[in-house]
Amino acid sequence: MAAEGSTKAVVVALGANLGIAATKFMAFLLTGSSAMLAESIHSVADSGNQGLLLLGGRRAKRDATAAHPFGYGRERYIYAFLVAIVLFSVGGLFALYEAWHKISDPHPIEEWRWVPIAVLGVAIVLESMAMRTAIKESNAVRGKAGWVEFIRRSKSPELPVILLEDAGALLGLVFALIGVGLTLITGDGVYDGLGTAAIGLLLVAIAVVLAVEMKSLLVGESATEEHVRRIERAIAGTEDIDSVIHMRTMHLGPDELLVAAKVAVDGEDDAVRVTRAIDAAEARVRREVPIATLIYIEPDLMRSRQTADGTAVPTADE
């Protein structure tokens, strides 16, 4: 369900950005506004980014192979990281270059003066519609988490990327509107350049945030605290398993979780009984956390060691 929502948000954003990019380019050709050019390239970059997200989602669905036994789920993170690179270079750095060029040699908007205002107004409406879809789909999965926490903790890259891109697009349009508007009012093209610079700095900042979050996912993040608690409770509550000695989890993809646990069993139990207990524990974990697709449970005997005050503390061999 979450994957379907992510795809819907990406497709809606892609359609909106393609239409907006064409309109902005037309306005740039008519007026020569650097802010309109920066916004045009921004929309093109966003469209390419959404294409990358769709491609990453498609490639991540491939079955595991002998060379990649844990599957290709992390390809979604790789393509989302590429989005950050594109946004930084094609969007942010290009806008900053255009800003420097326009501020160094400012000139007013003399022809088709009010076309940029109309185009930016239409673009704001379309981006707001795309943003509304992204918010709606995100609300379906973020639960009680705040927006900052959702973007930082989400294991699915598409929705945070689209949210940040859409928010950046709306703010960028506002900056462009202010810069173009002041240029039209005063006749000073420097304001157009300053609006373009604000767009560039905004895109660079968003790209850095995305890169940091996607890097964390690529390195490998553990399950959420809620999932960890549910997994531990499911294992520890299994008959013939005394306790969870320690456990490690890692996301192989947004909807694929690796669980490795060492559990304490009674030394008097035979192999058949221990095996049945492990099978039961795995089944309980999958019921509690369906995305736990790979589960490895190692049995061990609980021992005790003496502390300095003579207290017995349970322990186990690593």
Side-chain angles (χ1 to χ4, degrees):
M1 188 67 178
E4 293 177 2
S6 299
T7 302
K8 180 180 178 181
V10 173
V11 170
V12 170
L14 175 59
N17 278 308
L18 287 173
I20 292 170
T23 307
K24 289 176 181 176
F25 265 123
M26 183 62 68
F28 161 70
L29 292 174
L30 292 173
T31 64
S33 167
S34 66
M36 293 307 304
L37 177 58
E39 275 297 305
S40 301
I41 298 300
H42 179 190
S43 294
V44 171
D46 281 352
S47 299
N49 288 341
Q50 280 121 35
L52 286 173
L53 292 176
L54 291 173
L55 178 61
R58 182 181 181 86
R59 291 181 61 83
K61 293 178 181 179
R62 290 179 295 167
D63 294 332
T65 64
H68 298 87
F70 292 115
Y72 294 86
R74 286 194 181 181
E75 287 220 31
R76 289 168 68 178
Y77 302 148
I78 293 173
Y79 281 87
F81 190 81
L82 291 177
V83 165
I85 296 174
V86 171
L87 198 61
F88 180 84
S89 56
V90 178
L93 295 185
F94 180 83
L96 290 174
Y97 169 78
E98 277 299 311
W100 172 80
H101 179 73
K102 187 60 178 283
I103 294 172
S104 300
D105 182 24
H107 53 82
I109 299 173
E110 297 177 345
E111 298 182 358
W112 301 89
R113 289 169 52 85
W114 298 103
V115 167
I117 301 298
V119 169
L120 290 170
V122 172
I124 287 174
V125 172
L126 293 176
E127 286 288 1
S128 297
M129 294 172 62
M131 183 75 174
R132 180 177 177 274
T133 299
I135 290 174
K136 180 181 178 182
E137 298 301 332
S138 298
N139 282 334
V141 297
R142 74 183 178 98
K144 298 180 180 180
W147 287 109
V148 174
E149 182 183 359
F150 172 70
I151 290 172
R152 293 192 61 191
R153 304 302 180 192
S154 176
K155 309 303 180 183
S156 177
E158 291 84 4
L159 286 175
V161 169
I162 294 299
L163 281 170
L164 287 174
E165 279 193 345
D166 287 348
L170 282 173
L171 281 175
L173 289 168
V174 172
F175 292 154
L177 189 61
I178 294 172
V180 171
L182 288 175
T183 295
L184 291 173
I185 293 171
T186 64
D188 189 349
V190 169
Y191 292 109
D192 190 18
L194 292 175
T196 307
I199 293 170
L201 292 174
L202 174 67
L203 296 182
V204 167
I206 291 175
V208 170
V209 171
L210 283 178
V212 170
E213 295 304 320
M214 292 309 115
K215 170 180 171 291
S216 178
L217 290 169
L218 278 170
V219 171
E221 287 189 357
S222 65
T224 63
E225 293 181 1
E226 174 62 20
H227 279 172
V228 169
R229 286 195 296 268
R230 290 165 66 178
I231 292 169
E232 289 180 338
R233 186 168 60 244
I235 295 176
T238 304
E239 185 178 0
D240 293 326
I241 291 181
D242 296 335
S243 65
V244 177
I245 299 170
H246 62 72
M247 184 178 74
R248 302 287 185 272
T249 63
M250 184 172 67
H251 271 271
L252 302 175
D255 305 314
E256 298 174 274
L257 184 65
L258 169 67
V259 179
K262 178 175 282 191
V263 300
V265 298
D266 193 330
E268 300 298 322
D269 291 344
D270 59 26
V272 173
R273 189 166 184 171
V274 171
T275 300
R276 288 174 178 171
I278 290 174
D279 290 343
E282 291 178 357
R284 285 171 60 91
V285 169
R286 289 192 172 94
R287 284 196 299 269
E288 285 291 319
V289 182
I291 65 171
T293 53
L294 290 173
I295 304 172
Y296 300 98
I297 298 178
E298 177 187 355
D300 202 348
L301 301 179
M302 186 65 75
R303 297 172 175 83
S304 63
R305 60 181 174 82
Q306 297 292 322
T307 61
D309 60 2
T311 304
V313 178
T315 186
D317 293 335
E318 293 296 329

